[in-house]
Amino acid sequence: MAKTTSSVNYLTAKRPKTGDPLASVTYDAQNRPTIIVYNVGFTGNTETVNISYTVDGWPIFNGIEYRNYQIDIWKGILEKKTDVSISGTITVVIELANGFATQKINVGTSVVQIVNTSDRISIAIRNWSDPASGQILYLAEDNTTLLDGWPMISREGTSIDLDPNASLFLVASSGTIDTRILEVTRT
């Protein structure tokens, strides 16, 4: 596929052959490619690409300096350089959960607030009612808009990562719903 005149991404006039794109590569003293010979088009066709570099190490192709770009010799393209310089030591600590608590509550047409667990980091709630009942369990962030809350049909559930102090409220569309709760905790 030939490049378009508006494209600066492809180093070659035609895309290099897949599987065997390189005929040869010559490197400079800093181990950067300076002469790349690509296999293109039909068998035996090659295209030579010459690259030089600025004092700062940016590639120069066809007389144009490409700052913040690097050469992907296998694809025959210039791509944005994603270089991260870090000095010192970086320590990433991801605290995992170290416990959980389960409970079964019966939720009726009166609002039920889920009691906060002080070390809760996540909660899962499931409507465990019989599918034939057609009962819907509603979950909301306050006790005033419950029927506008998140509906869960029978055997459906949801899980939420939230602050231990967050309040959750439940109400049943009708009757009493067997509701199962799993709170994941970290102490």
Side-chain angles (χ1 to χ4, degrees), residues 19-33:
D20 186 20
L22 302 174
S24 67
V25 180
T26 304
Y27 295 92
D28 67 6
Q30 285 80 33
N31 205 24
R32 300 175 298 196

Side-chain angles (χ1 to χ4, degrees), residues 28 32-34 51-60 71:
D28 67 6
R32 300 175 298 196
T34 55
I51 306 288
S52 58
Y53 296 89
T54 66
V55 174
D56 296 328
W58 302 119
I60 299 172
I71 300 165

Side-chain angles (χ1 to χ4, degrees), residues 129-142:
S129 65
D130 181 359
S133 72
Q135 292 175 303
I136 300 171
L137 179 66
Y138 291 96
L139 168 68
E141 72 282 358
D142 61 42

Side-chain angles (χ1 to χ4, degrees), residues 38-99:
Y38 286 100
N39 294 316
V40 294
F42 297 105
T43 305
N45 291 340
T46 62
E47 185 175 335
T48 301
V49 173
N50 294 300
I51 306 288
S52 58
Y53 296 89
T54 66
V55 174
D56 296 328
W58 302 119
I60 299 172
F61 173 64
N62 286 342
I64 300 172
E65 177 183 332
Y66 290 91
R67 286 191 175 262
N68 297 317
Y69 278 80
Q70 61 191 12
I71 300 165
D72 184 329
I73 63 173
W74 291 98
K75 293 178 184 174
I77 62 171
L78 291 164
E79 61 186 5
K80 270 294 213 190
K81 186 172 182 167
T82 54
D83 187 22
V84 178
S85 296
I86 299 173
S87 60
T89 302
I90 294 177
T91 304
V92 177
V93 177
I94 300 173
E95 294 185 28
L96 300 176
N98 57 9

